[in-house]
Amino acid sequence: MLSLVFKSIIRIWPMSLKTIFLDRDGVINHEVGYLHKIEDFQFINGVFEACLQFQSLNFQIVVISNQSGISRGYYSESDFHKVNNWMLDQFKRQGINILDVFFCPHGPKDGCDCRKPKPGMLFQAKQKHGIDMSRSWMIGDTETDMIAANAAGINDTILVRSGHDIDAKNSSAKYILNSIKEAQSIISH
Ligand SMILES: [Zn+2]
């Protein structure tokens, strides 16, 4: 009987991952427009301490990023991976494990399902990792992040001012903060 209970718990466990979804440009690093070089990548102040706190609260961290610069021919997918691997390494050095990174290489006219505000990448993440969207958060710097999150069943959304200019009055975000650093005071469990 007891082993049956344990088996059920183990079966349910992967389905209950709570996750903080992060947009990349403007949330993790300063927005420079079609960033594709490591030397242009500057972490926003407080990213590491915020992520360490999310981790201590047993959240997974997943990055969800539109990278239309690939479709536009501004940089290649391998350029993206170089920057991405470097970024993941910097997180690792701070003791932070990023569970996964999803990126959309398409442009606005490609008609894909993954480019935010479409929720495709969030659904991919949910399916791949068994994420419980009702216990998850999205932190982004544009309204498209908020729309994608809501469409994927994430109600807890944070719009940050550290990237693109925001339209606070017309935002559907649950919270509006200066940067990810302040998310530590909002996300407590
Ligand atoms: Zn796409």
Side-chain angles (χ1 to χ4, degrees), residues 22 24 33 45 50 52 70 92 98 118 126 131 138 149 164 169 173:
L22 301 179
R24 195 192 76 181
N45 184 37
L52 282 169
I70 296 168
K92 216 165 261 170
I98 304 292
K118 295 256 181 73
K126 179 187 177 184
I131 293 165
M138 163 65 86
H164 285 100
K169 262 188 195 163

Side-chain angles (χ1 to χ4, degrees), residues 104-106 112-115:
C104 163
H106 310 112
C112 70
D113 292 325
C114 37
R115 181 175 162 80

Side-chain angles (χ1 to χ4, degrees), residues 37-164:
K37 290 182 185 151
I38 291 167
E39 58 261 39
D40 294 335
F41 194 108
Q42 276 198 304
F43 282 96
I44 287 171
N45 184 37
V47 169
F48 294 136
E49 61 180 271
C51 287
L52 282 169
Q53 186 192 295
F54 302 154
Q55 251 181 204
S56 75
L57 295 169
N58 294 321
F59 282 99
Q60 299 293 328
I61 301 168
V62 171
V63 177
I64 302 278
S65 182
N66 281 358
Q67 292 293 327
S68 71
I70 296 168
S71 167
R72 296 177 209 263
Y74 297 163
Y75 52 92
S76 67
E77 210 158 308
S78 113
D79 292 329
F80 170 80
H81 285 297
K82 259 181 225 158
V83 172
N84 187 56
N85 289 336
W86 177 86
M87 178 190 80
L88 293 176
D89 197 45
Q90 303 308 304
F91 274 112
K92 216 165 261 170
R93 285 172 189 215
Q94 303 290 331
I96 297 156
N97 178 51
I98 304 292
L99 178 66
D100 213 338
V101 176
F102 294 83
F103 69 101
C104 163
H106 310 112
K109 290 172 189 163
D110 292 338
C112 70
D113 292 325
C114 37
R115 181 175 162 80
K116 294 175 288 185
K118 295 256 181 73
M121 291 189 279
L122 292 161
F123 283 130
Q124 279 178 43
K126 179 187 177 184
Q127 193 164 19
K128 182 173 173 187
H129 298 292
I131 293 165
D132 181 350
M133 302 308 242
S134 71
R135 295 165 68 214
S136 297
W137 291 72
M138 163 65 86
I139 305 178
D141 72 323
T142 66
E143 204 54 29
T144 54
D145 297 313
M146 309 298 107
I147 295 167
N150 289 157
I154 299 169
N155 295 320
D156 289 328
T157 55
I158 298 175
L159 184 64
V160 290
R161 300 179 187 273
S162 51
H164 285 100

